[in-house]
Amino acid sequence: MAGKNPRPTAGSGGNSAKHTARERVAAARAAEARKERRRRATFISSVGVIGAALIGGVAWAVVANGGSGASDAKASGPLPAPVTFGSATALPPWAAPADASAGAKAAGMKVSAMEGTVNHFHAHLDVIVDGKPVPVPANLGVDQAARAMSELHTHDASGVVHIEAPAHRRYILGQLFDEWAVKLDAQQVGGLKVGSGKQLTAYADGKKVAGDPASIELTAHREITLVYGAADASAKVPSSYEFPSGE
């Protein structure tokens, strides 16, 4: 009849309610999915930043330590000047001196009861005289009676030179020879003098080094070789030394 509102068809109100409920559920799920995507993105970004920081830290440590577990990369200051100390007449083999402190002190180093840990690395020395190796003695720079040592020393006869210092100083080969009480310069090593067909040649990592061999800097894993003999003689000079693991 005219003037009366049409009656809704059966179930139309329920369908509308269900439709609205589904929309709310879908919207809630979409919002939760967006939150989850944001959480994942934040997590991935954080992992990336942390990973980059870790990688950067490792790279910095490798560079700072010379890439070899060594810590001499930051050694600073001028090289010490060679001093005239030790025998100019003794012939090889040269034993370690009875007084372990005199040469160290002459070279400007202290002999103390504790090894330093700020600057810790190793080099290696070979000495070849007339084609034959001359041993580098144990305990150079070590006062066994006082149980003390300098920051530059040897522990055995392998030729490995230990630098265990309390500061980032620089060291030279001449300081080791001071501790050895064997004079070293461009003209002689101990009582072995240049001239009369004999020569003294120094090498660092297999490459010839000109000038005073006492001034050669000791750096991490550097292989230093001194060769004394006839000027026309050939010698097999090592370019490196296989250090024990951890050195």
Side-chain angles (χ1 to χ4, degrees), residues 39 47 70-71 83 90 96 115-116 122 133 148 160 173 212 223 239 246:
R39 284 195 294 267
V47 169
S71 60
V83 300
E115 296 174 326
H122 307 88
V160 173
L173 183 62
D212 186 355
E223 162 60 34
S239 59

Side-chain angles (χ1 to χ4, degrees), residues 145-215:
R147 295 187 178 182
M149 65 180 66
S150 81
E151 60 261 43
L152 172 61
H153 56 267
T154 64
H155 288 303
D156 53 35
S158 66
V160 173
V161 181
H162 297 252
I163 291 85
E164 299 169 56
H168 286 297
R169 295 176 56 189
R170 300 169 73 185
Y171 299 87
I172 59 173
L173 183 62
Q175 291 174 297
L176 180 68
F177 275 82
D178 293 336
E179 293 181 325
W180 201 350
V182 176
K183 184 178 179 180
L184 175 66
D185 60 26
Q187 299 301 314
Q188 68 186 91
V189 52
L192 302 175
K193 296 179 173 58
V194 171
S196 301
K198 297 285 189 174
Q199 66 180 14
L200 175 62
T201 308
Y203 300 84
D205 298 328
K207 298 179 180 179
K208 189 179 293 188
V209 178
D212 186 355
S215 297

